[in-house]
Amino acid sequence: MNGVETAQFSAVVVIGLLVFFYGGTFLISARIGRKDENADGYMTGGHNIGFGISAASMTATWIWASSMYASATSGYTYGISGPIHYGLWGALMILFIYPFGKRIRSVAPKAHTLAEVMYARHGRSSQLMLAGSNLVGSLISLMSNFIAGGVLISMLSPLTFTQGVFAVAAGVLLYTLWSGFRASVLTDFVQVVAMLGAVVVIVPFIFLAAGFPAAFESGAENLTPQQGDFFSSDAFMNQGAPYIAAVLAYAIGNQTIAQRLFAVRQDLIKPTFVTATVGYGAMVIGVGMLGVLALYLGFEPTGGDVNNLIPEMAADYLPPVLLAVFFIMIVGALSSTADSDLAALSSIMMADVYGQNVAGKEKANPRTMLLVGRVTMVVATALAVAFASLRLNILDLLVFVGALWGALVFPVLASFYWEKVTNRAFTVSVLAALAAFLPVRFGWLPVDGAFGIAVDVLSVVGIGVVLGLMAFGFFGVRVAKTVGVLAAAAAAPFAIGSLHEYATLCGSLVAYSVSTVVCWAMSAGRTERFDFSLIAQRTGDFDDGAARAADAADATAGGAAIPRQAGDTDGEPRSAARTK
């Protein structure tokens, strides 16, 4: 160790810790033997993963290094209510997923991606739209985790930021490349146990070492009135409200979450998501309080870069042994999400691009799918490493991606419940929402006058949509409509005329409202109704389908009957099942 007040590892120690962590995770993933290799296991683990592994994997995926860094940034920026807004709403969004998840699994029990289900429900354009948004979102997520790793290593060792990014990227790719999703969930259990244990020890130690509780008395003068107010309107409008909207979109649109939804045993969806809710909230709020402590102490991160906040706090206040534990905790957090991003990206390319659009489901070769998945991981890692050099603000990235996915939430959910939604309504509503979101979010047009009022009105509608969707998952459509209307009516007097001043929040709410209004308007008058039983027939395991296709070829040569295809029922061919 070097330094007196600010501890720093030598390059040899850091490399040793990385070898210990990634070598251990590689040995765990190596338990998945070559004989178990198949495309469906690579994407979803066979749709039958148990409670312990599933709950740990969901918790580890939702808790990433970016969550810790962003929660601390929120505490440093908005005061004591910042981590509460970040961690509490993020935790509740995990809880809100499970009622929708139960419906999704009931209509598509053997699917691999949400985009694959949209192909079965609507067609190619809706599928590619959802798949494309996930490719962008997962790549940004992967990049932000590599940024977090690079910052950590550069702060705590002589290694540079770029060297740290390469080390983390290589380590994650090492243990994920061969077994894909199975490696991700198998290592998540160990990672989340280590992370939770580390937080219980490290956060209280830093508080005591920094002079808690005296630091909160002597440092109160470092806070603005808004930062010192637990019910800060500034914190709610700039952090809490945008994050409520953003994480709901993450919950519905994010393939890393959907992948675990399709992997867990169907009867274990509720306990899995409830457990992950508690684990996420406790850990992220706890780490976020380090940002509040830094604010009271008047701590200034190097170069004003808030991404440096947590590593520098740890380096200043932790002894060598606990600093090593902290290092492993952050590496574990970012790795558990980075491997999920790689698994999500590979499954999209395998199932949606190759499996549905290049080869076709009946002709898709599982071995070729595995090759596509592994090549995708390598390419995605290289792109994320290249983009990580930009060192963008992690909190801004998270909110932006969540708002972007807000355009998809209503069309996706409606497609699972409402028989009238069409491919055209889905596609047009999402494109219209994106067209409205971008100029509002980035201020391309002045928001004074009539345009500002229009943005406020759409945002008020968006408030009703977000709260209505939350109520719908648990209480049904009648309660959802009531909650949505009351929420919009209650917000209107306060929001119209001023809400457009909060571009981040308005951008997200406008995306929700425009996609909802357009999708509803294009669907309500239709008389045709979709048969949801067709989704289960049109989705299914690729390996089983390939086996049946091979059997079909042999049987046809011997003059046997027409074989079954994936998703057929009662021994009938696909055409007969669809006719039913």
Side-chain angles (χ1 to χ4, degrees):
M1 303 292 297
N2 301 315
V4 179
E5 294 186 358
T6 300
Q8 189 181 60
F9 292 116
S10 68
V12 173
V13 171
V14 166
I15 292 172
L17 289 173
L18 290 173
V19 169
F20 168 76
F21 178 80
Y22 287 119
T25 51
F26 175 76
L27 291 176
I28 293 172
S29 65
R31 293 176 54 192
I32 305 171
R34 189 182 184 91
K35 61 183 176 60
D36 297 322
E37 181 188 59
N38 66 81
D40 295 301
Y42 199 86
M43 291 186 283
T44 57
H47 312 284
N48 198 36
I49 296 179
F51 167 71
I53 296 295
S54 297
S57 183
M58 180 63 71
T59 306
T61 298
W62 205 254
I63 298 174
W64 42 337
S66 299
S67 297
M68 297 182 184
Y69 282 37
S71 183
T73 298
S74 184
Y76 187 74
T77 305
Y78 301 112
I80 193 168
S81 63
I84 304 296
H85 283 304
Y86 189 95
L88 177 62
W89 301 124
L92 289 180
M93 285 309 103
I94 304 176
L95 185 65
F96 280 114
I97 300 171
Y98 95 77
F100 298 120
K102 291 174 68 176
R103 170 63 180 175
I104 292 170
R105 278 295 296 274
S106 69
V107 300
K110 295 291 186 179
H112 308 86
T113 71
L114 277 178
E116 180 188 4
V117 182
M118 288 301 103
Y119 181 84
R121 174 67 173 86
H122 293 305
R124 183 167 286 111
S125 64
S126 298
Q127 177 203 26
L128 294 180
M129 191 170 291
L130 188 55
S133 69
N134 267 285
L135 289 175
V136 173
S138 290
L139 192 60
I140 290 177
S141 172
L142 190 63
M143 174 188 69
S144 68
N145 279 287
F146 289 168
I147 289 174
V151 168
L152 176 71
I153 292 173
S154 64
M155 286 288 103
L156 300 182
S157 77
L159 300 178
T160 66
F161 169 80
T162 302
Q163 290 171 330
V165 168
F166 271 98
V168 170
V172 173
L173 188 62
L174 171 70
Y175 73 86
T176 311
L177 182 64
W178 180 255
S179 299
F181 177 77
R182 294 167 299 176
S184 175
V185 295
L186 195 60
T187 55
D188 279 346
F189 184 83
V190 176
Q191 291 168 349
V192 79
V193 170
M195 286 189 290
L196 290 171
V199 167
V200 169
V201 175
I202 288 173
V203 172
F205 189 96
I206 292 178
F207 266 74
L208 293 175
F212 176 83
F216 278 77
E217 298 173 1
S218 60
E221 60 186 19
N222 294 323
L223 279 66
T224 66
Q226 281 289 321
Q227 290 173 330
D229 184 2
F230 184 79
F231 299 100
S232 167
S233 59
D234 187 39
F236 179 76
M237 296 301 292
N238 288 292
Q239 172 64 67
Y243 199 59
I244 294 172
V247 293
L248 178 60
Y250 261 101
I252 302 304
N254 192 337
Q255 171 57 22
T256 62
I257 304 300
Q259 202 162 13
R260 280 148 183 80
L261 171 63
F262 289 124
V264 65
R265 232 175 62 194
Q266 201 162 340
D267 60 317
L268 296 176
I269 291 176
K270 180 177 178 179
T272 294
F273 282 84
V274 171
T275 302
T277 297
V278 176
Y280 174 90
M283 184 168 181
V284 171
I285 293 174
V287 174
M289 287 301 169
L290 294 180
V292 178
L293 177 62
L295 179 63
Y296 274 88
L297 293 172
F299 191 92
E300 292 289 339
T302 300
D305 186 353
V306 289
N307 290 338
N308 297 334
L309 187 63
I310 286 186
E312 289 186 334
M313 286 283 289
D316 277 3
Y317 293 106
L318 291 178
V321 173
L322 287 183
L323 188 61
V325 174
F326 166 83
F327 182 86
I328 294 296
M329 178 188 76
I330 299 296
V331 171
L334 67 90
S335 299
S336 66
T337 304
D339 62 36
S340 300
D341 289 321
L342 288 177
L345 288 164
S346 65
S347 66
I348 290 171
M349 294 300 295
M350 291 168 69
D352 296 309
V353 177
Y354 171 77
Q356 294 282 14
N357 289 284
V358 176
K361 185 165 181 60
E362 285 78 15
K363 297 181 180 179
N365 186 328
R367 291 191 177 276
T368 304
M369 292 183 75
L370 285 168
L371 177 61
V372 169
R374 288 172 180 142
V375 170
T376 298
M377 287 192 179
V378 174
V379 173
T381 300
L383 290 174
V385 167
F387 292 145
S389 62
L390 300 175
R391 298 190 72 167
L392 301 174
N393 183 282
I394 292 174
L395 184 57
D396 289 344
L397 287 175
L398 295 178
V399 175
F400 171 74
V401 174
L404 193 63
W405 273 331
L408 289 157
V409 174
F410 182 84
V412 168
L413 289 179
S415 297
F416 284 101
Y417 291 90
W418 196 17
E419 302 92 335
K420 293 185 177 183
V421 180
T422 64
N423 186 47
R424 179 176 296 180
F426 186 106
T427 304
V428 173
S429 63
V430 172
L431 292 177
L434 291 178
F437 161 75
L438 293 173
V440 173
R441 174 64 180 84
F442 295 107
W444 294 348
L445 297 174
V447 291
D448 298 328
F451 182 71
I453 297 299
V455 169
D456 290 343
V457 171
L458 288 173
S459 298
V460 168
V461 175
I463 292 172
V465 170
V466 171
L467 296 180
L469 287 175
M470 291 178 180
F472 171 70
F474 288 97
F475 306 110
V477 67
R478 184 173 298 178
V479 173
K481 289 179 179 179
T482 303
V483 170
V485 170
L486 291 178
F494 306 98
I496 296 177
S498 61
L499 195 57
H500 58 264
E501 298 173 4
Y502 301 93
T504 301
L505 174 58
C506 282
S508 181
L509 293 175
V510 165
Y512 274 97
S513 62
V514 171
S515 63
T516 300
V517 171
V518 173
C519 187
W520 176 86
M522 294 183 66
S523 304
R526 296 185 59 84
T527 57
E528 297 87 349
R529 295 180 179 273
F530 179 76
D531 181 3
F532 284 106
S533 66
L534 293 175
I535 294 179
Q537 298 173 22
R538 295 172 181 174
T539 57
D541 290 340
F542 286 90
D543 287 281
D544 290 348
R548 284 193 291 267
D551 293 340
D554 295 339
T556 302
I562 297 175
R564 296 175 61 189
Q565 297 295 327
D568 291 346
T569 56
D570 301 325
E572 297 170 326
R574 176 178 290 267
S575 58
R578 286 188 177 179
T579 301
K580 283 189 174 181

